[in-house]
Amino acid sequence: MSERKYREIPFNYTSADDERVVRLILGDEAWEMLEQLRSRRVTGRSARLLMRLIGELFIIHRNPFVFEELLESKSRRRQFFASCRADLDTIRKAAHGEAQVLALVTRCTRLLDDLESSVRSAPLERERVRKVIGGIVGPANVFFDPFSLISHATDATDWRLFLPFAVVCPDDEVQVAGLLRVIGELGYRAIPRGAGTGLTGGGVPVAPDCVMINTEKLNRIRGIHSCSVGQGRSVSVIEVEAGVVTEDAMRCAEEAGLVFATDPTSSWASTIGGNIAENAGGKTAVLWGTAIDNLFSFRIAMPDGRLHQVRRIDHPLRKIRPNDTVVFEVDVEDEPSRRIRLQGKEIRKPGLWKDITNKALGGLPGIQKEGTDGVITSAEFVLHPRYPLTWSFCLEFFGESFDEAARVICALAERFPNRGEEALIALEHFDEEYVRAIGYKVKAARSERPKAVLLIDMVGYSESQLERGERTLRDLLEHYPNTHCVRARDAAEAARFWKDRKSLGAIAARTNAFKLNEDIVLPLDALAEFSRFVETRNTEEERFNQKAIVDAIESAVIGARIGEREDPQWFGEKLARARELADEARRRLFGDAVADLRSAPAVVEFMKELQHLFAGYSPVLDRIESLESALRARLIVIATHMHAGDGLEASSVGNMESDSRS
């Protein structure tokens, strides 16, 4: 990648620089040719024409509303292609045989030809697709409009590679298998799409010939019933279609006095099919596990047009442990049933637990495959009896590092294996960056800000059990002097504890409103090391950002031009002092303690001195203030929060979201 980020493409409304745009639509070699030609420009006219053309093609590649305009308006279409070809002809004539310029013209011509062919063939091709797919789901459920296409171009990752060709919304799960078959026969790729809350890119079109299968109409909760799990045991299960919103399933279970345990943070929007495809967890995973632990059965439509039924055999009604043998039975029409046997340690990596890299799972379809093998259409989930009592605790970790917090979390996993009567149902951690962002109210009588906060829900069947659990917790914490523990006095106070957890998205409000989420999995014993890594990177970025402010302001002041009425001689005498102040700020910047760095004392003092030094020179002061504000907004901060303890043992997992924000 080039060090300099060029932005010569006009009307580029995306965050992509010229290099990314060119590499995406014309290929890597085209960018290398442009770079070599850059130093050989004379008037630059051909370059401007070329970059404008590339911008036009990129917009059509990204914006279906513009493409639709070309389809609907014959005059607009004729004018656009004539103008593009005229520009290419001008560039070709001005090239005087230069091979690289001609090669770029050839690439652009080929791209333009493909676009024109696509525009001409689109109406007939859409009609062909609508007729075939509409024969299964009904023509009204096949969409080509720009709004449908753009809303299915990405998921929560915001990765945008291609626009889908069409969006299909089946009404019934029996339609999905046949839908997959005909999409393949038509020469298209099928991609399942739920609520679009995924963070792995599973719902992103990977080619220009993708048809998105949106499951939002498969939203029926078929009810709660009892099923046998062998050995005279039975369990309550809830039967739901793939498009049911997780929170609706949770609410239905709650009304029956039961718990639907797969509760990802996005439960307000995420859907059942996506939860299975991603093997979603949630705050109760510490006790009841992720989707794979709680599945009783599910149906998945496969590309060959058949529906597979997958059922868990002899479900133990608890979380999968390393030494368990897990058995699934797969039924397919016209085939004998087959059983897939997995060891617990094949499902969860020892020392890591949730292993999101393991996509095979012994050939088990659907689960953790991110929608790559088929489309999940419905499922039955085990429901758990609700514990009658819940006590909530808030742990605040103080001190210079995250080390004590990490040791406490590991100790909790050892002391609460969740096999007794009192159990930890939820462990949620967030770090100092979130503490600062949400305006967290410190509960300890201490003037410092905690390095991290851990929220705990402890459940039991009687107060004596919970009292025993609290004694265990407080005995454990006696060895950790920098940890403060508070128990919620009632349900209302517990709700206030957890309100902080739900407010974590507020970190974007104190930044430049841009964030990039990354879902990662760590062994708990690596938390301290990871926290030190994050803190080091944040410190480095903070110093880099503040130095960039000082450097930019120094350059702006030295290069400033003022009028004769503003006493240029006096102004010139101030420049030497400005340089001295910049040098002092840089020295202080790299000498300040990490704890003081975030308040930017070196930059604050530098700005104050400059305001005194250049008092009366309003244009200069306005310029340095706008520079400071603009560069400060570019600060990148890594903040972390996690479900602490998705596993059962001391080596259990922390399922962490690392949010990088600028």
Side-chain angles (χ1 to χ4, degrees):
M1 298 285 285
S2 304
E3 290 185 8
R4 183 176 175 186
K5 302 298 184 184
Y6 294 104
R7 296 292 297 235
E8 295 183 326
I9 296 176
F11 45 75
N12 178 1
Y13 56 88
T14 74
S15 60
D17 58 18
D18 290 359
E19 179 178 358
R20 291 189 63 187
V21 171
V22 172
R23 289 183 185 275
L24 176 65
I25 68 172
L26 290 178
D28 295 341
E29 190 178 355
W31 176 254
E32 304 303 330
M33 287 189 282
L34 279 172
E35 284 285 81
Q36 293 169 24
L37 289 167
R38 190 180 301 278
S39 62
R40 288 146 55 187
R41 294 179 185 176
V42 180
T43 65
R45 180 168 182 258
S46 291
R48 289 192 295 274
L49 288 175
L50 182 63
M51 300 311 277
R52 186 179 71 182
L53 175 63
I54 291 172
E56 293 270 16
L57 296 174
F58 178 62
I59 281 184
I60 295 171
H61 172 82
R62 290 290 295 266
N63 191 327
F65 293 92
V66 178
F67 183 86
E68 200 69 19
E69 183 183 358
L70 292 179
L71 283 184
E72 294 177 354
S73 173
K74 187 176 180 180
S75 61
R76 175 75 178 93
R77 184 165 65 247
R78 186 187 306 112
Q79 179 185 15
F80 171 76
F81 286 110
S83 174
C84 288
R85 296 193 189 284
D87 286 347
L88 285 172
D89 193 48
T90 300
I91 297 168
R92 185 184 296 107
K93 290 175 181 177
H96 301 298
E98 169 62 56
Q100 289 182 317
V101 176
L102 294 176
L104 286 168
V105 169
T106 299
R107 286 173 182 257
C108 288
T109 301
R110 189 182 307 126
L111 194 62
L112 194 64
D113 290 343
D114 290 343
L115 174 61
E116 187 168 21
S117 175
S118 177
V119 170
R120 286 176 176 172
S121 64
L124 286 177
E125 180 61 13
R126 287 180 176 183
E127 188 58 34
R128 180 178 81 100
V129 170
R130 189 190 300 277
K131 182 177 180 180
V132 175
I133 293 180
I136 294 176
V137 300
N141 284 330
V142 185
F143 302 92
F144 301 99
D145 63 283
F147 180 80
S148 296
L149 299 184
I150 199 70
S151 62
H152 288 75
T154 188
D155 58 10
T157 62
D158 203 31
W159 295 343
R160 295 173 187 265
L161 302 174
F162 298 93
L163 290 168
F165 177 76
V167 176
V168 184
C169 298
D171 291 306
D172 196 296
E173 73 169 319
V174 299
Q175 299 171 339
V176 180
L179 184 58
L180 281 176
R181 178 178 51 77
V182 299
I183 288 174
E185 291 173 351
L186 286 167
Y188 289 90
R189 311 165 200 243
I191 294 184
R193 162 81 174 207
T197 61
L199 288 168
T200 65
V204 177
V206 293
D209 57 354
C210 291
V211 174
M212 309 298 291
I213 300 179
N214 186 310
T215 61
E216 63 183 14
K217 288 188 175 182
L218 306 181
N219 58 3
R220 301 167 188 84
I221 298 177
R222 295 173 179 164
I224 297 172
H225 55 272
S226 180
C227 287
S228 171
V229 291
Q231 301 176 351
R233 299 173 303 144
S234 63
V235 63
S236 293
V237 301
I238 184 170
E239 186 176 359
V240 287
E241 292 185 337
V244 169
V245 174
T246 309
E247 199 170 73
D248 292 340
M250 294 171 68
R251 189 180 300 112
C252 180
E254 185 177 7
E255 290 171 356
L258 299 166
V259 178
F260 183 92
T262 303
D263 61 339
T265 306
S266 57
S267 61
W268 60 275
S270 67
T271 52
I272 296 300
N275 291 346
I276 298 172
E278 300 287 340
N279 191 14
K283 75 174 188 178
T284 62
V286 63
L287 177 61
W288 286 313
T290 60
I292 194 171
D293 299 272
N294 295 287
L295 272 170
F296 185 76
S297 73
F298 64 94
R299 295 184 181 91
I300 178 170
M302 303 299 276
D304 62 3
R306 295 188 295 177
L307 197 65
H308 292 206
Q309 171 87 30
V310 183
R311 181 177 298 274
R312 178 89 178 266
I313 303 300
D314 294 331
H315 200 300
L317 309 183
R318 58 164 173 77
K319 196 171 186 176
I320 297 168
R321 295 172 182 161
N323 295 324
D324 285 346
T325 297
V326 182
V327 183
F328 288 92
E329 187 171 82
V330 181
D331 287 317
V332 186
E333 57 181 294
D334 303 325
E335 286 185 11
S337 297
R338 60 187 177 94
R339 291 196 172 186
I340 297 172
R341 287 179 168 80
L342 297 167
Q343 294 301 308
K345 59 187 177 183
E346 294 179 81
I347 295 172
R348 293 192 169 94
K349 195 172 184 178
L352 187 63
W353 282 80
K354 185 177 179 180
D355 180 8
I356 58 176
T357 67
N358 182 2
K359 304 300 181 189
L361 291 178
L364 182 66
I367 301 176
Q368 207 162 276
K369 302 297 192 301
E370 300 176 19
T372 57
D373 59 346
V375 180
I376 292 157
T377 59
S378 65
E380 292 176 311
F381 278 82
V382 167
L383 299 179
H384 301 276
R386 180 173 297 280
Y387 280 88
L389 297 174
T390 302
W391 285 2
S392 296
F393 299 84
C394 178
L395 273 59
E396 297 173 332
F397 303 102
F398 297 89
E400 294 299 319
S401 72
F402 188 81
D403 288 18
E404 182 164 299
R407 291 197 299 273
V408 168
I409 292 172
C410 289
L412 285 170
E414 290 177 346
R415 298 288 289 274
F416 288 90
N418 286 348
R419 297 179 186 176
E421 294 173 323
E422 66 274 2
L424 304 184
I425 194 174
L427 289 169
E428 293 288 315
H429 147 281
F430 53 92
D431 71 3
E432 186 177 10
E433 295 295 342
Y434 280 110
V435 167
R436 181 184 292 109
I438 67 175
Y440 174 80
K441 294 180 176 62
V442 180
K443 296 165 180 60
R446 302 176 70 153
S447 57
E448 60 189 301
R449 182 185 293 120
K451 295 293 289 184
V453 174
L454 181 69
L455 300 177
I456 300 174
D457 272 355
M458 184 184 296
V459 292
Y461 293 101
S462 67
E463 288 206 3
S464 62
Q465 290 174 4
L466 290 176
E467 288 168 356
R468 183 170 63 225
E470 183 176 10
R471 285 195 300 272
T472 300
L473 174 61
R474 295 193 181 276
D475 288 348
L476 182 156
L477 295 179
E478 284 184 2
H479 303 288
Y480 301 98
N482 286 319
T483 301
H484 178 73
C485 177
V486 177
R487 191 188 104 195
R489 290 166 294 187
D490 51 34
E493 188 169 45
R496 289 198 295 275
F497 283 9
W498 284 100
K499 185 179 179 181
D500 286 333
R501 174 64 178 82
K502 292 181 179 294
S503 301
L504 297 187
I507 193 169
R510 58 174 289 274
T511 67
N512 201 30
F514 174 83
K515 70 174 187 174
L516 175 66
N517 283 0
E518 293 292 343
D519 239 347
I520 61 176
V521 179
L522 293 172
L524 288 184
D525 55 15
L527 287 181
E529 180 184 0
F530 180 76
S531 179
R532 286 192 292 272
F533 164 78
V534 168
E535 190 167 31
T536 298
R537 291 306 298 265
N538 280 341
T539 300
E540 291 173 351
E541 173 60 27
E542 186 70 63
R543 285 202 169 103
F544 176 86
N545 178 263
Q546 293 182 33
K547 181 179 180 297
I549 292 171
V550 174
D551 292 347
I553 289 175
E554 180 185 26
S555 297
V557 168
I558 292 171
R561 296 181 180 180
I562 62 172
E564 290 183 3
R565 294 183 179 181
E566 294 180 289
D567 304 306
Q569 182 180 350
W570 296 351
F571 181 82
E573 292 173 356
K574 294 174 182 288
L575 296 183
R577 179 55 182 158
R579 288 192 181 96
E580 290 176 3
L581 290 172
D583 288 339
E584 289 173 13
R586 282 186 285 263
R587 282 194 297 272
R588 183 178 176 186
L589 178 61
F590 286 90
D592 281 344
V594 172
D596 300 327
L597 191 60
R598 179 54 66 86
S599 59
V603 173
V604 170
E605 185 64 26
F606 178 55
M607 293 291 292
K608 185 188 299 183
E609 292 286 349
L610 289 180
Q611 286 164 357
H612 291 309
L613 183 64
F614 295 107
Y617 294 90
S618 297
V620 176
L621 292 177
D622 291 344
R623 173 61 176 154
I624 64 178
E625 287 174 4
S626 64
L627 267 176
E628 191 269 344
S629 177
L631 289 169
R632 194 59 179 160
R634 296 176 64 180
L635 175 68
I636 294 174
V637 178
I638 302 176
T640 58
H641 64 87
M642 69 174 180
H643 310 304
D646 279 6
L648 288 163
E649 317 298 339
S651 59
S652 57
V653 66
N655 186 10
M656 177 178 292
E657 286 189 18
S658 174
D659 292 350
S660 179
R661 305 160 190 268
S662 65

